[in-house]
Amino acid sequence: MNNTIETVTYIQDRLKVIVMNKPGFITKSALLSFPIGGLNQSYLKEGKKVPFEPGAAHFLEHKLFEDEGVELTDKFSKLGASANAFTSHTQTVYYYKTIDQFEENLKVLMNLAFYPNFTEEGIEKERGIILQEMASSHDKPFYKQYTKLMEVLYKNHPFAHDIIGDETSVSNISFETLKTIHNTFYQPEYATLILGGDDAFTEALKMLEAFPFKEATAFKKAPVENVLLKKAPPKVQEMTGDVHATYVLTGFRLDLTFETIKEEYTFFIALEMALEMLFGSSSDWVEEKLKQDIITESFFHDVHLDPSVAFVMMMSQTRKPEAFLKEMDKMTQAFDESLFREIDFERIKKAAIGDYILGNDSLNHLVVNRAYTVDDDITRDDIFNIQKGMHFEDVILAFKTFQNQSITSSVVLKPKTLE
Amino acid sequence: MDVLHVKATHFQTTQINLRFFTSLKQPDNTVFKLMLAMMNQKNQMYPSRKAWKSRLKSIYNMRIGASSSRLKDLLISDFKMTLIDPSLVSEPHAYFYEAMDQLLNHPLFDEESLTFEKGALHDEFLTKKSSKSYRAAKILTDSLFKDHPYLIRTAGDEDVIDSVTLELIKKAYQRLKEAPVVMSVVGPLDEKEIKALIDHLKLSPKETFKKPGLIKQDIPLLKLAPVKNDMKQLLMYEVYQTHIYPDEALHLAYDIFSYMLGGDSESILFKTIRETHSMAYSVGATSLDDFGVLLIQGAIDPQKKEVYKEELKAIMNRLKNGDFDESLLNQAKLSRIEEIKRNTDNKSALASRAMHQFLEGWPFDLEDLIEPFYHITKEDIIKVALKIEDKGSFEFGAVHE
């Protein structure tokens, strides 16, 4: 079903390289991932934890595209490639796609990541741009609603901070900070390079074997602070914003530990399947709540999983926020096994097969998707096999755990009263 | 019926679009929007939302649905299906064709469904209006194009929703069934199966497709007062009449011009406004080709408004005077060409290429498509720049008195 062949190799016994051979596609892609994101706010120096400002990972991502005042995206463009980058909660990713001159572009990517050349002057300029990026987010009421929810669900935890930081933290990020976190996290031992396309990438691998990696530094990455409060967050908060309807966003935090990564993924895949059965577009619940005008077509649910952070989110535009909140409350109360039917379970499994096949048709999707799980060493095929092999009882158990263990909070966003 | 077939065996799924063409006028835009929404929810064999969605999930989460868009003064009702290669799941093709048949040929129009979709469309407008950029763009386009025949929005008109009746919906459906239809197929599906699908769907349009002409109408000078809103940023829109339309020889040069100006991270706007002056995180250029209009939009630091406006004026003057390095042009051409090449790996882009060939006679073959770009010269870019006429600007957001 998947005609992509994946092989893993280590360059100079340091850099992990995943080759995804995808026949028939003329585009080739390279993606370099580093394990630093919004959750990382400290490094280890001689065994001691040294904190740095929230938003530093994202700031560094911006700066790596500078080469002594010149934008490196120009170099990629001149070589016929399209390049970009992003920072998530757990990683920073740099990638390009191209048809020709793959190795030349790869050289640019490797130098960008391992031999940065940004300047102090460039940092000041970038600070202004990032503050504008921040202003743009702050002008969006849904962003504010989401942030407010995370601030209470993950109080004291790095996840409560925006990936790009805040005005104070971004204003305090220095040239030295960026240099230090680069020395810490941008080491080949921590990185993963993914090469995708209709190629064995023999020339690229040869080039990488000769790449002059720097010696390992004395700095080490620190584990993410897991300082979740045991105290329950407020059940409901209200806020107003420049919106024309009421929207309720509910988060269900899950603080669970697992023996192995596979166990963790199996649980959350089972939970996703349970939620899809109960609250997906083909569920009785959605049909009923639409008829009762408690939700609208905007209703969605989502499962978010990162190291030390796992939650379920549900949101809807609603004319009956109290009724919606009651429904969210019911989620974590009495378990009703009759809601789970094998026929729905089989349907969800078939849907997963279709999604998997559809995903095979996009090289970008395959490569970026692979990047999300590099640190856990779980492939897309592993996830698909877990879905295929899932048992009905596992799904019910996952939902029971969700019900028993969730810590819940909601934010109700209402329109500002017109003056 | 016209069938545009792009056989591409490196994909595992086939994208099929059935595009029906009717005239775009009010209140049809709203009626069709509601009609298609009703068709997406249920049909005679699956007479509830739940039943229909369950069916789609059980056939491997088949992506299938209808939406509307505009082609000049025509309304396109686009029925799109993504078909998994049935051999991968050991199912016959007919298994999937049945779903398309139900969606297209066996709608279930009733008052309950119409009432629901009216409510859903009202909700959709409420959410759109909760976006500042949507509100700003609506105020701007309502003003610029108020007398333009292309302004009619396929998303519908909010003030018309409640007046739509079941009778109008059923009449619209009749018009749809008789309308000219163009089918595009991109993926591994072969000719024999395409014929089987057409037979299964019993498509028999009464009219043949006639390519629409382009109505060229200048926009007025923009006279819009700034709209103050409680925001940190100021949304700035600069409006230009290009006097260059898609059916004109200079349009290809204009394509490169707008890419040079605001296409990507190597564009003039990105380099100047964002990277040099740090005035904005987001700045770019949008071409409204059918209107002969170019928009430059930026979400900027309100303190830098005057500098921003001066800089834009300076950029346009440099382009008109030829005061730019030819390397900028060469880079834009290269990037655009490479982008077109990479689209060979994208089904939607290939479907779009096939439609452009059918509608405008553009080449489909990759080499023929990119060849003319190599011949665009600096003089062509200057010619484009000299035709561009400033029509004013609009501000929304952190407006300072």
Side-chain angles (χ1 to χ4, degrees), chain B residues 62-312:
Chain B
M62 183 176 179
R63 305 303 200 265
I64 181 173
S67 61
S68 48
S69 61
R70 184 182 65 80
L71 170 70
K72 299 183 177 60
D73 61 351
L74 294 179
L75 172 65
I76 305 176
S77 300
D78 187 351
F79 290 77
K80 182 174 161 183
M81 169 168 73
T82 304
L83 175 68
I84 289 169
D85 182 349
S87 65
L88 294 174
V89 292
S90 309
E91 302 282 5
H93 284 84
Y95 195 61
F96 300 95
Y97 296 167
E98 184 252 359
M100 188 62 139
D101 181 44
Q102 284 303 318
L103 171 70
L104 186 56
N105 293 323
H106 303 281
L108 180 53
F109 297 128
D110 55 31
E111 287 292 350
E112 184 195 11
S113 183
L114 179 58
T115 305
F116 178 83
E117 291 306 332
K118 283 179 173 182
L121 188 52
H122 275 300
D123 288 336
E124 200 179 298
F125 275 107
L126 290 176
T127 297
K128 278 182 182 167
K129 287 192 288 191
S130 300
S131 155
K132 294 169 176 50
S133 55
Y134 169 85
R135 294 208 310 267
K138 184 152 190 314
I139 293 169
L140 176 64
T141 48
D142 278 351
S143 174
L144 278 179
F145 307 125
K146 71 175 191 301
D147 298 320
H148 201 295
Y150 293 165
L151 179 59
I152 301 167
R153 293 186 170 93
T154 57
D157 299 312
E158 198 177 1
D159 54 355
V160 169
I161 296 171
D162 292 335
S163 65
V164 176
T165 62
L166 198 59
E167 186 63 27
L168 284 175
I169 297 286
K170 289 177 179 173
K171 278 190 178 146
Y173 179 70
Q174 280 315 305
R175 295 217 342 263
L176 180 85
K177 290 309 300 277
E178 292 168 5
V181 53
V182 176
M183 180 186 213
S184 66
V185 180
V186 179
L189 202 66
D190 62 29
E191 301 240 355
K192 180 169 140 245
E193 279 306 329
I194 294 172
K195 186 172 182 310
L197 173 60
I198 293 171
D199 288 344
H200 196 107
L201 296 179
K202 298 181 186 61
L203 293 165
S204 53
K206 286 208 166 74
E207 302 164 41
T208 48
F209 178 74
K210 287 192 202 79
K211 289 169 200 180
L214 184 60
I215 301 169
K216 299 176 187 180
Q217 184 171 304
D218 279 5
I219 55 169
L221 199 58
L222 191 58
K223 285 180 185 145
L224 261 182
V227 172
K228 199 170 178 177
N229 199 281
D230 183 18
M231 288 167 66
K232 289 190 180 222
Q233 291 196 306
L234 180 62
L235 302 180
M236 292 286 298
Y237 297 86
E238 304 297 313
V239 183
Y240 305 87
Q241 182 91 63
T242 64
H243 298 291
I244 299 168
Y245 290 89
D247 57 355
E248 295 170 14
L250 204 53
H251 191 264
L252 208 61
Y254 170 70
D255 183 299
I256 295 298
F257 170 90
S258 66
Y259 203 89
M260 257 174 76
L261 179 63
D264 216 323
S265 55
E266 73 261 23
S267 69
I268 296 170
L269 286 174
F270 191 92
K271 284 184 174 336
T272 320
I273 302 296
R274 174 171 156 156
E275 297 298 320
T276 305
H277 294 291
S278 308
M279 276 189 269
Y281 171 71
S282 162
V283 64
T286 303
S287 281
L288 304 176
D289 283 348
D290 286 352
F291 295 89
V293 164
L294 172 71
L295 281 180
I296 293 179
Q297 66 272 350
I300 70 165
D301 177 351
Q303 309 289 344
K304 299 191 176 173
K305 180 181 100 173
E306 296 308 325
V307 178
Y308 175 82
K309 287 173 85 110
E310 285 307 314
E311 200 54 56
L312 284 188

Side-chain angles (χ1 to χ4, degrees), chain A residues 87-103:
Chain A
T87 306
S88 72
H89 290 292
T90 54
Q91 64 190 155
T92 308
V93 164
Y94 305 86
Y95 59 96
Y96 68 86
K97 45 189 177 182
T98 190
I99 291 173
D100 301 309
Q101 303 188 91
F102 186 81
E103 289 79 29

